[in-house]
Amino acid sequence: MGKLKLSDRQLYALIEAVKLGEEIKPSQSAKRKAFARYKIEGWENSKLTGIFYSIQRRLGLIDEVIEELVGVSPLILDPWLRATLRVAVEVAVFRDPGERTRQHLKGLAQFLSKKTHPYVGYYYYDLLPQILEYVPVIDTEEKRLKWDYLFPEWFIAGMRGLLGDEAEALLKALNETLPTSIRVNLLRASPGDVEGYLRKKNVRFERSGRVDTVLRILDPFNPEWLFNKGFAIAQEEAAAVASLVLAPEPGETVVDLAAAPGGKTAHMAELMNNEGKIYAFDVDGARIKRMKEVLRRTGVEIAETIRADGRKAPEMLGEGIADRVMLDAPCTSDGTIAKNPELRWRLREKNIPKVVKLQRELLESAWRLLKPGGRLLYSTCSMLPEENEEVVEWFLERHGDAALIPLDGPYDEGFLPGTMRAWPHRHGTIGFFYALMEKKGD
């Protein structure tokens, strides 16, 4: 590989994209807007897009380097200075810039002076030599894994505690891009129909060995037409397994307590042949709107969407009304990092207790909704035991009328016998946890 060559204009475009990425979500839109301003097109676009996403993936690590050099969190710096330092660290520390590029990095002092204040430019100019000479101190295994795989050290330590040496394979898998997964909607189509359409489009795919309505698309392809027709829905294999584990039957009453954007609600309606009733709760207005659209397209007739906190569901619907309750609980979502790479630096150890409190409260509500003999699935897309096995153990200790129904595949047993976990590195899907409980009684 030759040395990295970047012009002034390319550096300006990267800085504006990084700055806008803090204000506009998804970051893709920010990048497009900034690049259009600087007329970044063609091969230039591909090159700079790679660097932009690399900054997003490494953000926590880049910010640690900045904090080490500046002495304060970059989050309190001027936004233009913060974006410029992030680009400079990516280029100087993680890449091999040529001499011209190093000169252009110096020239950013003038760019900053114009954008904010001359003093900000001077400050950057004084700091740049330290950035250009920075060498990290990697003196622990956690630090090595952090630099190699880009995760917070507490998360790496946690995964090593669970998996030992196998943790490195997990971190590697979380850095790989998962193919697009779709689930065929049997209310509107058959797997054969959808496979025929993909073959006609010359798109390579594979059928999941665990859920025969899930297809993985192996080529760059937008399945929008299939979604618009309601023939399929975007869903990961591990998420589809949740509805199969709960196994609602035609004619039953089901409550989905954190339902949006509606993938599991639609799947359960399909398993119920559109017979019975599903109450689908969610608090987020925008997500409910998306869910209504998904249910309309997929031909679901038995779901009633309710914009409310799932913890209020027993007051709204009454107690003991449900044959099945789906609680795919809000969580840290660390199991989905392969799908959402920027999420890794938003994982905060200090936020876990707050998430666990909500999970416990939703679980209590779910139990109140359930009839004796009814079944509840507690699931998350987290891999942290605090949000999974520990929540279930806490619940079972409090409820003598709760029995864990042992799950025997399609994935591995969890750390609490009878529960189940999907692992990205072992199963090629997102990380997921499942616990199925039955309420004792007639």
Side-chain angles (χ1 to χ4, degrees):
M1 291 283 285
K3 296 214 175 265
L4 177 67
K5 292 177 186 162
L6 289 172
S7 68
D8 287 337
R9 183 177 63 91
Q10 291 170 338
L11 285 168
Y12 301 160
L14 279 169
I15 290 165
E16 294 223 8
V18 169
K19 181 179 178 289
L20 265 184
E22 294 192 330
E23 301 153 28
I24 298 176
K25 296 286 178 250
S27 52
Q28 202 177 355
S29 312
K31 172 190 76 84
R32 274 203 292 267
K33 203 168 167 184
F35 284 12
R37 233 188 110 173
Y38 286 91
K39 300 192 168 43
I40 304 290
E41 291 159 357
W43 67 269
E44 228 184 0
N45 191 332
S46 318
K47 174 179 170 176
L48 296 196
T49 295
I51 297 172
F52 174 78
Y53 283 126
S54 173
I55 293 169
Q56 300 297 323
R57 261 203 315 277
R58 281 199 251 263
L59 204 51
L61 204 47
I62 288 171
D63 281 358
E64 277 184 27
V65 173
I66 295 170
E67 187 161 341
E68 203 180 310
L69 297 174
V70 174
V72 295
S73 163
L75 301 179
I76 66 171
L77 299 175
D78 171 276
W80 281 108
L81 176 60
R82 178 167 60 243
T84 305
L85 288 174
R86 283 171 170 174
V87 171
V89 169
E90 168 69 26
V91 171
V93 177
F94 292 97
R95 294 175 185 265
D96 185 13
E99 193 46 47
R100 288 285 299 274
T101 305
R102 292 164 81 95
Q103 291 307 317
H104 291 318
L105 284 174
K106 281 183 187 164
L108 292 176
Q110 284 160 309
F111 170 80
L112 266 177
S113 294
K114 283 185 194 137
K115 287 286 182 191
T116 57
H117 189 281
Y119 286 155
V120 178
Y122 297 147
Y123 179 77
Y124 166 81
Y125 191 81
D126 282 347
L127 192 63
L128 186 63
Q130 290 180 61
I131 295 174
L132 291 167
E133 287 156 24
Y134 182 84
V135 178
V137 178
I138 298 173
D139 49 8
T140 66
E141 181 64 359
E142 265 86 23
K143 275 202 179 125
R144 177 187 76 78
L145 291 169
K146 177 173 75 176
W147 277 78
D148 284 354
Y149 298 105
L150 312 174
F151 285 97
E153 277 180 63
W154 70 265
F155 180 76
I156 291 169
M159 292 304 115
R160 287 184 74 209
L162 293 182
L163 295 168
D165 291 342
E166 199 190 331
E168 187 158 0
L170 168 68
L171 300 174
K172 187 166 181 276
L174 289 172
N175 275 302
E176 281 160 13
T177 310
L178 280 173
T180 300
S181 270
I182 63 174
R183 178 178 54 73
V184 178
N185 169 31
L186 298 180
L187 294 175
R188 293 249 196 255
S190 72
D193 297 335
V194 174
E195 288 175 340
Y197 168 78
L198 293 172
R199 280 195 195 99
K200 220 160 63 193
K201 296 281 179 189
N202 290 320
V203 175
R204 290 177 312 130
F205 62 87
E206 62 183 20
R207 202 188 279 206
S208 154
R210 299 184 185 96
V211 181
D212 59 8
T213 54
V214 169
L215 307 176
R216 290 194 187 92
I217 296 175
L218 305 176
D219 288 325
F221 177 72
N222 184 353
E224 203 59 38
W225 184 81
L226 291 168
F227 298 161
N228 289 338
K229 290 283 185 193
F231 295 160
I233 189 168
Q235 195 171 47
E236 286 299 317
E237 178 195 274
V241 164
S243 304
L244 298 175
V245 166
L246 186 58
E249 293 181 1
E252 289 187 331
T253 299
V254 176
V255 184
D256 190 346
L257 275 186
K264 294 181 188 68
T265 309
H267 194 185
M268 290 192 292
E270 175 198 298
L271 297 173
M272 294 161 74
N273 294 333
N274 249 338
E275 294 164 26
K277 181 75 180 180
I278 301 175
Y279 296 99
F281 281 78
D282 208 272
V283 281
D284 186 318
R287 283 165 64 87
I288 286 242
K289 199 173 157 193
R290 265 175 63 206
M291 172 159 69
K292 283 182 170 167
E293 184 55 28
V294 163
L295 298 177
R296 185 189 66 74
R297 286 178 186 178
T298 48
V300 171
E301 293 159 6
I302 59 170
E304 182 183 329
T305 58
I306 301 170
R307 186 181 174 182
D309 188 321
R311 291 172 289 188
K312 299 203 172 83
E315 280 71 43
M316 296 173 76
L317 301 177
E319 301 201 5
I321 56 104
D323 299 289
R324 320 253 165 177
V325 179
M326 168 71 77
L327 174 53
D328 185 36
C331 66
T332 49
S333 306
D334 53 275
T336 69
I337 284 168
K339 305 291 282 183
N340 309 295
E342 68 285 353
L343 176 69
R344 69 186 72 215
W345 301 113
R346 293 208 297 273
L347 294 175
R348 296 272 185 280
E349 195 172 13
K350 66 174 196 295
N351 293 346
I352 297 170
K354 199 165 72 184
V355 175
V356 169
K357 181 175 182 288
L358 174 60
Q359 290 166 340
R360 288 176 169 189
E361 288 168 1
L362 282 164
L363 200 42
E364 289 289 2
S365 288
W367 201 245
R368 287 168 60 199
L369 290 163
L370 206 57
K371 293 175 181 173
R375 286 188 170 186
L376 155 71
L377 180 73
Y378 175 77
S379 66
T380 77
C381 54
S382 166
M383 297 178 292
L384 302 170
E386 297 93 318
E387 300 181 70
N388 296 324
E389 289 89 351
E390 289 176 25
V391 169
V392 174
E393 285 175 307
W394 169 86
F395 183 80
L396 292 172
E397 276 168 21
R398 289 171 59 92
H399 292 273
D401 59 345
L404 199 56
I405 304 295
L407 297 177
D408 182 21
Y411 301 122
D412 297 353
E413 187 166 66
F415 297 107
L416 172 65
T419 63
M420 182 168 73
R421 277 174 170 257
W423 292 100
H425 64 299
R426 291 182 193 169
H427 305 116
T429 183
I430 55 174
F432 224 87
F433 171 81
Y434 315 78
L436 184 64
M437 292 176 268
E438 188 169 283
K439 198 176 218 178
K440 293 177 195 168
D442 300 327

